[in-house]
Amino acid sequence: INAEYGDRIFAMTSIKLRRISPTEVVTLTTKTDPVDPDTLIKTKPIVDDVRKRGDAALLEYSTKFGDLKNGESHLVKLSELKEAYDSLSAEVKETLQRTAQRIRQFAIAQKQCLHSLSTPISGGTAGHTIEPVERAGCYAPGGRYPLPSSVLMTAITARVAGVSHVWVASPRPTAVTLAAAHVAGVDGFIRVGGAQAISAFAYGTETIPACDAIVGPGNIWVTAAKQLIAGRVAIDTLAGPSECLVIADHTANPKVVAADLLAQAEHDVEARAILVTLDEKVAEAVDKELTQQLLTLTTADTALKALDNSFAVVTKNIDEALWVADQIACEHLELHIDKASDHKLKLKHYGALFVGHNSAEVLGDYGAGPNHVLPTRAAARSSGGLSVFTFLRIRTWMEIDSLPDAQSTVRDAIVLARLEGLEGHARAAEHRILTEKTTSQSKASVLTHLKPSLINLPIYSPIAPLEERAEELGLDLDELVKLDANENLYGPPPEVLEVIVKANHHIYPDPSQLKLRTALANSLGVHFDRIVCGLGADDLIDLICRIVKPNPIIISSPCFAMYSYSAGVAGLPVIDVPRKPETFDLDEEAIKVGIKKHQASILFITNPNNPTGHIVSNDVIASFCEENCLVVVDEAYTEFTDQNCQELIHKYDNLIILRTFSKWAGLAGLRVGYCIAHQDITRVLLSIKQPYNVNIAADFAARICLEKKSVIFETVKQIRLERERLMKELQKFNFIKPLPSHANFILMKIVDGKSAHQLASDLRSLGVLLRYYSSSELKDYIRVSVARPQDTDKFLWALNMVSSSKLLSSLNGFKPEGVLLDMDGVLVNVSLSYRQAIIDTCKSFGVTVTMQDIDNKKAQSGFNNDWVLSQSLLKDKGVEVLFEKCKDKFEELYQGTETVLGLWHKETLIPNRSLLKFLKSKGPVAIVTGRPKLDASQFIRQHKIAEFFDYVICDEDTVNHKPDPEPVIKALELLQINKAIMVGDTPDDIRAAIRVPAEKGKVIGIGILAPNKAGDEEMRKSLLSAGASCVISDLQELRLLFN
C-alpha cells in the first residue's frame, strides 16, 4: 500500500502482528534487567560528579546535553509557572484543572483507606503510624513528546500524600508543562533532565533540596540514575518502554482494539503492543485495522517500528488468555471481552487494569483518576504503580507496659538470640526477666481496657492560648493582634458581664435550657422543641455523630476540622469529596454520588464555608436534602452575610442547622451554640446530651445577647464594613490574592513565588496571629480574621514591614552570634535632647543651625561625637570656639543646673521592653555608643533596661571612636563572639561595623532611621553609601531575623 503523508511518501505493506503460541510467551517475557550494564557504567560518573560538585556539575552537564543554554538558570521561578499558566487558552487551563481534580480525588480516596494501627500484644500494645516523606522529586520527560500529564500524576499525588516539599524536573519544558506544575502546586521546578537531574534530587545541591523519594518515568539515563541511587532514596519503579496488552474476544470492536494498540505503539520505537485473542479472525481483523489507521496517523513512523516488537497470541479459551496475561505481567491490560467484570479478579499481575470496551487505557493516561506511572518489563509481578503509598512510610512501634504479661516473649527472644549466636541480644532480653515477687506486684496494661479505635486518635489541635503565644514570641499580651480564630474582638455588650457576675454560680443551671430555647424560638420564629442548645456548636456536632448509624459521613475539604474529628470519636468513616481547586466551589454531583455510593449517614456543609468564605445557595442545599442522609448546615458565620437556610427547615425533615454565639455575639470564651432540626431529631439529641452541658454563665449571657441583638448587630455591621476595607487594602499587595468572603474572615492566596508559611511565620513574629494551614490544598493560603480597625491597622503595618523588608535577603544567610546596638537614634530618641543641645549650644555662640545641618554633618565621617560636631558646625559658620568651652556649654544644657532641668529628661526609650527581652533571649547583646558613661548609665538606670545588655561600650572605653572599628572590636571580644550585626542610625556607626578586620570577626552594619527621620530618603541613601547591608525603619524588624 502506498500512502501519502504530508510531503513524504512511504511504502508500507499490510501489517500483520507476529504470532506466537501461549507456550512461547514464557521464554519471550522473561524479566530482563531494566538498564544494560554499559549505560550504568556511563551514568555513574555523572551521578557521582553532581553529588560532589553540586550546581556546578549540574549546570555543566545540562548545558552539554542541551537542556540549558550558556548562562541560563536551571531554576524556574514559581511566578514563571503562573505566567505560563496564564498564557494558555481558557480551554487548556480548564482541562488541566479538571484533570488535576480527578487525580487529586482518586489519590485522596486512596489515602483514606489507610489508617494508623494499634493492636494488643503480649504485655502491651503495638501498631503503626503512617507518615509521608518530607521531600519528593518528580521527573517529567521532555523529549519527543513532553508529558505535562506526568507532572500532574506525580506532583499532585505527592501533595495529597502529605509531602511538604514537592519539586519537579523536566528538560526543555513547554508552557503546558510549566502550567501543569503551577496547577499541581509545586514548591520548585528545574528545567534539566537526565541522570544529572536525578542525582541533584538524590543528593541535593546548593539550590535544590535533597529529596526522600524520586518518582516519574524517563529515558534510559534517568532509569540508570534511579537504579544507582535506589536505597538512598525511595523510587517508584525502574521504567522501561511502555507496553499494553489487550485481551479481545468476539465482542471486541477491531477498530477500537487497533486504536488502543497504536496509542501505545506511538509512545516509543521500543514500546510493545500485544494482542491476546480467542479467535484468529479477531487477530486478522485487528491487523487490517492497524494497516488502515497507520495511513493517517501522524506518529506512524514511531508506531510502525514499535509494532516490530509487538505480537499476537491466539488462545484456546478465556482462562488461557488470562494465564498468558499473567505471564507477561504487562504495564497496561485492557479487557475487551464479554462480561469483563466477571474476570477482573482472576488476574494477578498487571500495572493497571482497564475493564470493558469503554475503559480505554488512554483515559488512564490522561487523568481519569488512577495513576499512569506504572511498572514495566514484568515488574508488575512484584510492585504496583505510583500512588500515595509511594510517598508514605509505615512506621511500627510497640510499648510494653506490663512486663509480667510479656515474659513468654522475653524468654523466646533469649532462646532465638542464642540460636543465632548473638549473646548480647540474649543478655539484653534477660534484663526483662521478672522474679516471682516482681511479677505479682505488676499489673496488666491499662490500654487493654480501651477501645482500639481511640488509642491513637489524633488529639485535636486548637488555637494556642494568648498567654502561651506571648511568652513564646517574647511579646507582651497587649502587643498581640489575634486574627487567627475568627472571634469577635469587640466582645459582648457590658450587660453580659453584669449578668454573669450576678448569676447564682453555686446553683446548677437548667439542664434543658428551657428559657434559652424559648428565647431562641421567639427570636427565630420556630417552636422551642425544634431547638437543642450545646456547649458551642462543637458539642452538637459530636452529639449528631453519635446518634446516626455507623455509616460514613461526607465532608468537602477544605472545611471545619471538627466534623472529621467528631466522626473519628464516634467511629464513623469519613469520605472527603474535595472542593474544586482554585475556586473552592462544591462538587455537587460528586457529593451526591458519594452519598449514594457510601450510603452516607451525614453530609456536613459549612455555610459560609470556613476557611474559604464561600456561600452555597439554598437551591443547592435543597437538592442535597433530597438525598437519603442527614444534611447538617453549619451556619456559624451566617450573621455576616444576608443568607441562611432556615426557610428550608419545615420542608426537609433531614435538615439540621447549626449556629453559635461565638462569632457574632462575642461569646467564644463561654461556649454556647444551638441547632434547629425536626422534633424527632431534637428529641434524641436531648435524650443523650449531658444535662448541664451549658453552664449558667453561658445560658444567661446568651439570653442577654438575644435581648441586645440590635445593639450587637451594629458591631456586626462594623465588622462587615471592615471586611470591605481589608479586602481593598489586601488587593494593593501584588503577592496577595484575597478570595471573596461572606464571613468575618478573608482567605488570602499567597502568589508570585512567596511562601504562605513563611509569611504567616514572619507576621507572627511581629505579634500578628493568623491561621496558616499545612494541608496540601491550602499550603499557599492564609486566613485572617476581620476585627476592629486598630487590629487591621496593626496587621497592615506588619504586612508592609514584612513585604518591604530587605533584612534577610541582604544578610544572604549570615547568622549572627550576637547583636550590637548604637544608643542614640536606635535605643534613645534624642531629637529633644542631644540634638536640641547641639542647636542650643551653637545658638549660645550666636550661630543658628538646623536639624538638616546636623544630618549633613553626621553624614560625613568623624562626627559621631556631638561635642566635636557642635564645634565643627560653629566653625562652618565662621565662629571659632575652643573645644572645652563648647563641650562645657553642651553639658550644661544637657545635664542641667540646680535651677534648670537638663535636656536628658526629655529622652525616651524607642523600642519596647519586650523587644529588648526578645533580643537578649536570642544571644548576647551589647550597646556600642559614643556617649560618655555618665550619660549612658543615667538613661539605662532611668528606664530600667540594664538586664537586657551584657556590656555597654562607651566613649571612655576605647582610644579611638566610631567610625574607627575599635569600639566594635571591643564588644566582640567582651561578648566572646566572632559574628554580629551592628544597628546604627549614622553612617559612622555603619563604617565602624564594616571596618572590623577579618581576623577579628565579621560584623554586618544595618542602618535604621531614627524616629525624626522616618521616611527620609536622603538619610537612607547616606546609610547605604556608608556600607549598610540594608536600612530598616523599626527595630521590631529584627524579629524577622530570629524567626
Side-chain angles (χ1 to χ4, degrees), residues 938-999:
Q938 189 170 250
F939 181 86
I940 290 171
R941 283 197 308 271
Q942 181 190 13
H943 293 275
K944 300 177 181 177
I945 57 173
E947 63 183 291
F948 306 125
F949 303 102
D950 296 280
Y951 292 97
V952 179
I953 313 301
C954 297
D955 179 74
E956 299 92 331
D957 293 320
T958 57
V959 175
N960 299 304
H961 307 102
K962 294 183 283 188
D964 191 275
E966 185 181 347
V968 180
I969 294 170
K970 187 172 184 65
L972 293 177
E973 291 172 348
L974 290 171
L975 295 177
Q976 297 183 351
I977 60 175
N978 294 310
K979 296 190 294 183
I981 57 170
M982 167 79 185
V983 184
D985 70 319
T986 69
D988 275 357
D989 293 327
I990 304 303
R991 293 182 186 111
I994 66 174
R995 289 175 181 175
V996 172
E999 65 271 16

Side-chain angles (χ1 to χ4, degrees), residues 37-229:
D38 185 52
T39 302
L40 275 176
I41 291 170
K42 293 176 181 177
T43 303
K44 192 174 187 303
I46 300 175
V47 171
D48 290 343
D49 198 18
V50 174
R51 178 183 184 180
K52 293 174 184 175
R53 295 197 295 126
D55 281 338
L58 177 67
L59 292 170
E60 182 180 310
Y61 289 112
S62 298
T63 304
K64 177 181 177 181
F65 298 139
D67 291 350
L68 299 175
K69 299 175 183 176
N70 281 325
E72 185 179 13
S73 173
H74 60 294
L75 296 172
V76 180
K77 296 178 181 177
L78 297 185
S79 58
E80 292 180 58
L81 303 182
K82 177 65 163 56
E83 289 168 7
Y85 175 79
D86 291 339
S87 72
L88 302 179
S89 68
E91 180 185 13
V92 175
K93 286 194 281 192
E94 289 168 5
T95 298
L96 288 175
Q97 292 288 0
R98 286 194 300 271
T99 303
Q101 179 64 359
R102 289 192 291 267
I103 295 168
R104 186 177 291 111
Q105 282 186 289
F106 186 81
I108 288 171
Q110 280 187 317
K111 190 177 180 183
Q112 287 175 340
C113 76
L114 292 171
H115 301 283
S116 295
L117 168 69
S118 177
T119 186
I121 62 173
S122 297
T125 312
H128 71 231
T129 58
I130 302 169
E131 292 294 333
V133 298
E134 187 175 335
R135 294 185 292 267
C138 303
Y139 192 91
R144 188 185 298 107
Y145 303 113
L147 299 181
S149 57
S150 289
V151 176
L152 299 177
M153 289 283 181
T154 55
I156 289 175
T157 306
R159 189 65 82 194
V160 170
V163 178
S164 55
H165 298 283
V166 179
W167 280 63
V168 169
S170 187
R172 303 175 297 285
T174 63
V176 180
T177 300
L178 297 174
H182 169 72
V183 171
V186 305
D187 299 294
F189 193 111
I190 55 175
R191 55 175 120 242
V192 298
Q196 62 270 25
I198 299 301
S199 183
F201 276 163
Y203 299 108
T205 71
E206 295 88 336
T207 58
I208 302 166
C211 296
D212 306 304
I214 299 176
V215 301
N219 59 21
I220 59 171
W221 306 103
V222 170
T223 305
K226 286 171 74 174
Q227 182 168 334
L228 289 169
I229 54 90

Side-chain angles (χ1 to χ4, degrees), residues 850-860 863 1018-1019:
T850 65
M851 289 290 186
Q852 187 60 53
D853 292 330
I854 298 172
D855 288 339
N856 293 340
K857 185 62 70 173
K858 280 186 174 287
Q860 301 172 30
F863 292 104
E1018 287 303 315
M1019 180 55 72

Side-chain angles (χ1 to χ4, degrees), residues 258-278:
D260 287 0
L261 292 173
L262 288 175
Q264 195 62 39
E266 73 174 352
H267 265 294
D268 188 272
V269 296
E270 298 295 328
R272 290 197 307 175
I274 303 168
L275 173 66
V276 177
T277 180
L278 283 61

